[in-house]
Amino acid sequence: MYFPPVKQSLARPGLETMRQVDEYFWQRPEHFLPASWRDKIRLFDSTIGPRDIDQGSLGDCYFLCACASLAEHKKDIEAIFFNHHSSCTKAKEEKHGGWRVILNLHGWWKQIVIDSYLPSRSMLPAFGRNRRRPNELWPSFLEKAYAKGYGSYQAIEAGHPWQAQEDLTGYPGYSVDTLWQEAVEDSDAAARLFKMLERWNEKQYLISIATPTTSKTTINARRRQQQVNLEALFDKAGLATGHAYTVLDIKYFPLHRLCLLKIRNPWGNSVEWSGDWGDNSDMWKKYPTIKIACKPDKKANGVFWMEWNDVINFFDSGSVCFRQGSWIKTWHNYRVFSRFQGNTPELALEIVCDDYLDAFFTIHQKDKRGLPASDSDSKYAAIMISLFEADPLEATQTLVACSGGNPEEPNLKYTFELTRSTSIRYELKKGKRYFLVPRRLTSANGNNQPTKPFIISMHSSHKLSSGSCLGKPTTVNFVKLDPNNEVFRNLPKFQVGTLTTVTSIYQVRHGTDFFDTREGTSFTEGKKVNNVEYENMI
């Protein structure tokens, strides 16, 4: 993809507009840094951390919030910039200002090549940058690669943290916006949502919340029954409207029936909550044991604590990214390309387990971000996935999970969603045979093009095996079901019938290692192909 240092890379004419676009000019780091700093230019200059990130003048706080949450995991950020070429080639590229960035766009792993020119309006990058060390460039380069991936800097303004986290990690995300609205109106719903966030925090998932983009008057009117003058409170609260925040920790104190969230503003400055349990709140003096447990500080670093009821009142949405893995546990990612012909998929997954396997399954379609209204993909198709189970020799498969709602709480309801991705988490049982079936529905407001590409992703707790190596094999084959099969009639059971083996392009990535692109009939038997040749499958 062409992304030169010109005005069109800021905002594409006829498609986007950017305020004061003519005031920006492009500079390399050696141009905008003082001479004494030029021999200190680094991708990573010190310990990677969330405080590295400064937003600048581009309205992409959702993306920088996602970057800040991932920066808690140093190796994940380093893996995004992994260059798999030889040290000699890598050194030559970097000498001439060339960098490689790995992103998961539209559900498909890509390595995006960028140069080191950055938009400026002064002696620093105008957009994302390092707050403390302007010679450390990873925040600027990551934002530039994301902008290139979607066509321009303007294209990445405004969005949802969970989608950016999906793009950065490949792991599925989930929005709790609907649950949040229910929590505003109902205390029981608020309690259930808190418990859900608490469970996710214990699993160290990436949790984000956001303040409303609507006017303060609208916020106040929506909650008028609470008789709280939120317009006045917001001015004094130290919270930015239309802004994404990271949840760092969640604590419940049953003795006091107190629910607290530790929150970070990705701006990393003094713009912090000033109400109860803020840095300077008297509540810490009133409850010293809670202070010991929470360890608040008075630094102007954007980190603060809030009580759950205040969070519900001042924030109006939230999301999670189900990032997995640690230094002692590696997850494995497999992705395969296919298409819908009408509403029938050309490919389904046949999974035969000889051992237990914890897995996430996700269906992706092309993100509509940055696309003109005339592009058919500017509308999402109504999609879902369903999982069926049986013993290996049985012909009848029984529905055990459908996407729609919380992926960790799969249901049995066929729910088609106009969304870019939707997921299931399920523990596959030893000695069982499964079918994962992608689904599409004709929709009055959706994309109903005759042919619609999609990606199926599988994150597994164990490496898949064909049985030719040590360990018990779990195989995932690419098959096609008969278009007239009753599985496409939304029934709870179906007869497998005739299966056709399908050859397709797929990707494999183990943990944060570099990804491979392959061609074959299963996730375990295929030949390697050129990554670049197949990077734009969708």
Side-chain angles (χ1 to χ4, degrees), residues 175-229:
S175 168
V176 297
D177 290 5
T178 300
L179 300 178
W180 202 286
Q181 300 311 311
E182 294 173 357
V184 170
E185 307 295 339
D186 181 72
S187 60
D188 290 338
R192 289 194 298 272
L193 178 57
F194 178 82
K195 290 180 180 178
M196 183 181 294
L197 296 177
E198 191 177 28
R199 288 196 301 271
W200 291 340
N201 178 65
E202 291 172 356
K203 295 178 180 180
Q204 298 184 331
Y205 294 158
L206 308 180
I207 305 172
S208 304
I209 56 178
T211 52
T213 57
T214 52
S215 69
K216 298 172 187 175
T217 303
T218 303
I219 299 165
N220 195 31
R222 192 179 67 194
R223 300 169 183 161
R224 192 172 298 156
Q225 72 277 10
Q226 297 181 21
Q227 300 298 312
V228 177
N229 188 350

Side-chain angles (χ1 to χ4, degrees), residues 327-398:
W327 65 276
I328 58 173
K329 176 67 175 178
T330 296
W331 277 62
H332 307 271
N333 185 212
Y334 304 85
R335 296 173 181 270
V336 61
F337 169 82
S338 191
R339 301 179 183 87
F340 289 106
Q341 296 295 347
N343 291 338
T344 304
E346 293 184 339
L347 178 148
L349 300 185
E350 179 194 32
I351 308 162
V352 181
C353 292
D354 281 349
D355 204 350
Y356 294 98
L357 186 71
D358 188 5
F360 282 95
F361 299 97
T362 306
I363 181 171
H364 301 263
Q365 58 182 313
K366 189 171 185 177
D367 196 314
K368 63 183 181 181
R369 177 179 293 277
L371 298 179
S374 58
D375 192 313
S376 61
D377 285 322
S378 64
K379 291 183 178 181
Y380 290 134
I383 57 173
M384 65 164 291
I385 47 177
S386 53
L387 185 67
F388 295 82
E389 175 189 293
D391 290 329
L393 299 179
E394 289 185 6
T396 300
Q397 299 286 314
T398 301

Side-chain angles (χ1 to χ4, degrees), residues 216-217 220 228-236:
K216 298 172 187 175
T217 303
N220 195 31
V228 177
N229 188 350
L230 289 181
E231 184 173 355
L233 284 176
F234 233 102
D235 290 335
K236 298 178 181 179

Side-chain angles (χ1 to χ4, degrees), residues 171 324-325 328-334 351 353-361 425-430 458-466 469-476 508-511 523-524:
Y171 284 100
Q324 303 286 328
I328 58 173
K329 176 67 175 178
T330 296
W331 277 62
H332 307 271
N333 185 212
Y334 304 85
I351 308 162
C353 292
D354 281 349
D355 204 350
Y356 294 98
L357 186 71
D358 188 5
F360 282 95
F361 299 97
R425 183 176 190 174
Y426 198 81
E427 185 172 293
L428 306 178
K429 300 179 181 65
K430 181 179 180 180
M458 177 181 180
H459 283 89
S460 65
S461 57
H462 296 90
K463 190 175 182 179
L464 301 181
S465 167
S466 63
C469 58
L470 295 177
K472 296 182 178 180
T474 294
T475 58
V476 180
V508 179
R509 189 179 190 189
H510 303 295
F523 280 139
T524 51

